[in-house]
Amino acid sequence: MDELLEQLVNDCMGYTKEGRVASYIPELSKVSPDALGVYMIASDGKHYGAGDHAAHFTIQSIVKPILLLQALLDNGIEFVSARVGTEATGKPFDAINVSEQRLDSENLNPMVNMGAIVMCSLIHGDTYQDKIRRVLELTRRLAGNREIDIDEAVYASEKAYGSKNRALAYLLKSYGLLEDPVEDVLECYFQACSISVTCKDLANIGFVLANRGRTPGANERVVPAAYTQYVNAILMTCGMYNGSGDFAIRVGVPAKSGVGGGIMAVVPTRMGIGIYSPALDTKGNSVAGIQLLEKLSQQLYLSIF
Ligand code: GLU
């Protein structure tokens, strides 16, 4: 398996030239665009890795399923789904895209920024420091890594250049979808996006989602199986931004990408996979990362379809 992964990294390396690193904040634009790494944890407990799998990068949107899990643990499915919907587009079958749409919770899902910002407000904690501490703790447990922490430079950059997210959060507030003070909620969101991880961390988190809530090796339960089913379904339909349909066809497993260049893939009952390659396509997905996952899926028959 290690050889297969090495081979795929070599085959896909050239695709890093076809993307661009994220530049919406200065801190992310500094990374080298040509890295590519993959790490895999299989259901027999074996670990495999190739390429730049030990590199650290920020989790960015891959924290969204973790925010959702924490909100579910704190409030249950009924409460959470009543506040943020689960539909990919939130639009009816005959929607005319040019129309002005009312913002209501049914039209959001937890994998878009607005939905994830609401998740931050649903997570329990007396203060926003408490909330982010609990998100960090859940991330460490899911990844089996106590050393996971926040990248302070990226966090400072997110906060300094977060106008768009501020606009989204104030819009949520004006529609009555956010109870807490906007800046407090954003504090949690910006810090959560700035959690620093490796491919191995993402593979571990993906494994727990693939293994109905239990960790590899120790088989310790971190979250109820019903929550992994909920999260995986949303990842399948909404996890790869507006490239989720194409990804479902080409790779065919639940996954979440982030603009830091990471992809966490969940192969139900079989494996968790972490990818890092920061050159992104225009939708924000790692170009070489998707290519590698597509080839891996073909080789190992990973598609659930
Ligand atoms: N911190 C980023 C933002 O909210 C995350 C974006 C992403 O990875 O999709 O703008």
Side-chain angles (χ1 to χ4, degrees):
M1 186 67 78
D2 277 325
E3 267 167 48
L4 171 65
L5 294 185
E6 291 289 349
Q7 182 66 46
L8 293 181
V9 166
N10 287 335
D11 291 351
C12 297
M13 193 58 93
Y15 289 105
T16 60
K17 305 266 177 291
E18 293 182 15
R20 280 182 191 214
V21 302
S23 56
Y24 73 100
I25 56 171
E27 204 54 34
L28 283 185
S29 62
K30 293 180 188 164
V31 301
S32 151
D34 45 21
L36 175 58
V38 55
Y39 201 94
M40 178 198 284
I41 303 175
S43 56
D44 59 7
K46 293 215 172 83
H47 287 222
Y48 308 95
D52 302 303
H53 67 80
H56 280 81
F57 54 94
T58 50
I59 194 165
Q60 296 297 345
S61 272
I62 307 168
V63 81
K64 288 180 169 115
I66 301 174
L67 296 174
L68 172 58
L69 277 173
Q70 187 66 66
L72 288 169
L73 287 166
D74 290 350
N75 306 282
I77 288 177
E78 213 178 306
F79 186 94
V80 170
S81 62
R83 280 153 186 85
V84 171
T86 51
E87 301 305 332
T89 70
K91 291 179 184 155
F93 74 97
D94 57 352
I96 297 169
N97 277 332
V98 291
S99 68
E100 169 81 357
Q101 200 181 11
R102 226 197 82 78
L103 182 66
D104 60 42
S105 54
E106 273 176 50
N107 295 329
L108 301 176
N109 74 63
M111 297 304 132
V112 295
N113 285 16
M114 275 187 165
I117 290 167
V118 175
M119 289 302 138
C120 289
S121 78
L122 301 184
I123 290 168
H124 291 177
D126 288 340
T127 65
Y128 271 83
Q129 278 86 341
D130 288 341
K131 291 183 188 226
I132 187 66
R133 219 173 288 130
R134 296 185 66 236
V135 172
L136 204 49
E137 180 57 29
L138 178 61
T139 309
R140 289 172 179 157
R141 284 189 66 208
L142 288 163
N145 179 2
R146 305 294 318 160
E147 315 222 307
I148 288 180
D149 222 326
I150 289 164
D151 180 324
E152 295 295 337
V154 171
Y155 161 56
S157 213
E158 291 283 352
K159 195 170 168 165
Y161 295 87
S163 306
K164 183 80 179 279
N165 284 317
R166 275 195 187 86
L168 296 176
Y170 277 102
L171 207 55
L172 285 167
K173 184 85 178 164
S174 75
Y175 278 95
L177 299 177
L178 210 55
E179 282 181 18
D180 294 339
V182 167
E183 290 300 327
D184 288 353
V185 184
L186 285 170
E187 196 65 22
C188 177
Y189 179 73
F190 290 143
Q191 291 194 46
C193 288
S194 307
I195 293 172
S196 177
V197 290
T198 64
C199 291
K200 183 177 178 181
D201 295 327
L202 296 185
N204 267 296
I205 299 166
F207 187 97
V208 175
L209 287 168
N211 193 34
R212 301 178 62 78
R214 291 180 181 275
T215 58
N219 209 33
E220 181 210 347
R221 177 163 299 289
V222 186
V223 290
Y227 296 170
T228 63
Q229 185 174 334
Y230 190 92
V231 171
N232 290 343
I234 298 175
L235 292 183
M236 192 73 243
T237 51
C238 314
M240 301 295 287
Y241 306 111
N242 42 341
S244 298
D246 183 55
F247 186 85
I249 293 166
R250 290 169 60 191
V251 184
V253 299
K256 184 74 201 87
S257 53
V259 295
I263 303 176
M264 173 194 70
V266 178
V267 189
T269 74
R270 289 181 62 186
M271 61 183 73
I273 305 169
I275 300 263
Y276 174 58
S277 186
L280 310 176
D281 63 20
T282 50
K283 293 178 175 166
N285 291 315
S286 168
V287 182
I290 289 185
Q291 289 287 344
L292 194 152
L293 280 171
E294 183 176 14
K295 290 184 175 31
L296 190 65
S297 179
Q298 285 164 357
Q299 294 272 340
L300 303 180
Y301 302 101
L302 299 184
S303 173
I304 64 172
F305 304 107

